[in-house]
Amino acid sequence: MLEPDERSWAEAIGMYERRATIAKVTSRDYRNWVLDLRTLMHGGTRDVRGWRTVDRWYGELDRLEEPSYPFVMPGEPVGQANVWKSRLSQIPRRQAERFLVALSTPWIDVTKEPDFEERREGLETKARVILSRFPEGSHFFANTGHDSATRDYYQRVSGWNPFSVRTFDFGLVLVSETEVGMVWSFR
């Protein structure tokens, strides 16, 4: 598996520009990667490599008042780790690819995309570029419930464990030995 370069990453992550999404990667500084997720959920986080990020709320008033907006930060960092781990389920790489595609669609529902079959190959290619930054041995976690590992993300996703103040929030956390990333979309 080849690792993406800055240009291919920027093109791939750009599929989230038309959505209310936060997509970025930070260095993995803690053995317990959930503490790095906390870092990602704060608005000022830049990509560890200096590459493109997508952050719908960057510079918005809500974020200036609360740096973690739209995320809710429960308790102290160690407490957050316990709360958040209970809301995430590990999924295989193939499911992560399909979930990345679904997260790029307006309703996080590919069944509502009239031209999905025409766009599918291009979206899947972009999802594989994003995943290529996380080599074999990486782990992927979704907040879509206990059946996340077998869920068909090309069907409507109706259940999730919330992490934000928004009505709907669906997210994928990507964890390697050196980096932690997230793609979190909101409806």
Side-chain angles (χ1 to χ4, degrees):
M1 175 184 311
L2 294 175
E3 191 171 312
D5 59 21
E6 185 173 1
R7 190 172 133 254
S8 64
W9 174 264
E11 184 177 308
I13 209 81
M15 73 177 166
Y16 302 106
E17 283 289 332
R18 64 187 185 124
R19 295 244 347 103
T21 298
I22 299 172
K24 54 189 170 178
V25 179
T26 192
S27 61
R28 183 168 176 185
D29 295 330
Y30 300 96
R31 182 176 180 169
N32 185 348
W33 54 265
V34 179
L35 298 173
D36 297 305
L37 178 60
R38 181 182 188 279
T39 300
L40 280 173
M41 290 181 171
H42 279 81
T45 308
R46 305 299 304 156
D47 186 282
V48 67
R49 300 182 191 186
W51 291 4
R52 181 179 183 185
T53 62
V54 174
D55 188 341
R56 161 67 178 82
W57 287 276
Y58 181 77
E60 295 285 326
L61 288 177
D62 288 329
R63 177 70 62 71
L64 295 175
E65 292 176 13
E66 174 51 54
S68 62
Y69 183 87
F71 297 104
V72 175
M73 300 299 205
E76 294 300 313
V78 173
Q80 290 170 10
N82 294 332
V83 169
W84 287 343
K85 275 189 177 176
S86 71
R87 294 182 188 176
L88 294 167
S89 298
Q90 189 165 351
I91 63 174
R93 183 177 290 272
R94 179 68 180 137
Q95 293 301 94
E97 177 184 318
R98 292 170 74 94
F99 195 28
L100 285 170
V101 169
L103 290 168
S104 75
T105 64
W107 296 100
I108 312 171
D109 182 355
V110 299
T111 66
K112 291 187 176 187
E113 289 288 294
D115 60 346
F116 177 69
E117 285 306 320
E118 292 82 27
R119 297 178 50 231
R120 180 178 178 164
E121 185 176 331
L123 293 170
E124 288 175 346
T125 297
K126 289 177 180 181
R128 283 190 294 275
V129 167
I130 292 167
L131 289 172
S132 71
R133 188 165 171 178
F134 297 85
E136 290 303 321
S138 295
H139 302 281
F140 309 99
F141 301 88
N143 72 325
T144 53
H146 67 279
D147 63 344
S148 295
T150 58
R151 180 182 296 278
D152 182 355
Y153 287 102
Y154 287 172
Q155 298 298 314
R156 182 175 175 267
V157 178
S158 59
W160 71 99
N161 296 312
F163 276 64
S164 77
V165 297
R166 307 289 294 189
T167 305
F168 298 96
D169 67 271
F170 297 91
L172 179 68
V173 180
L174 308 97
V175 181
S176 75
E177 288 295 320
T178 59
E179 296 182 325
V180 176
M182 73 173 186
V183 176
W184 221 276
S185 289
F186 305 84
R187 267 198 317 197

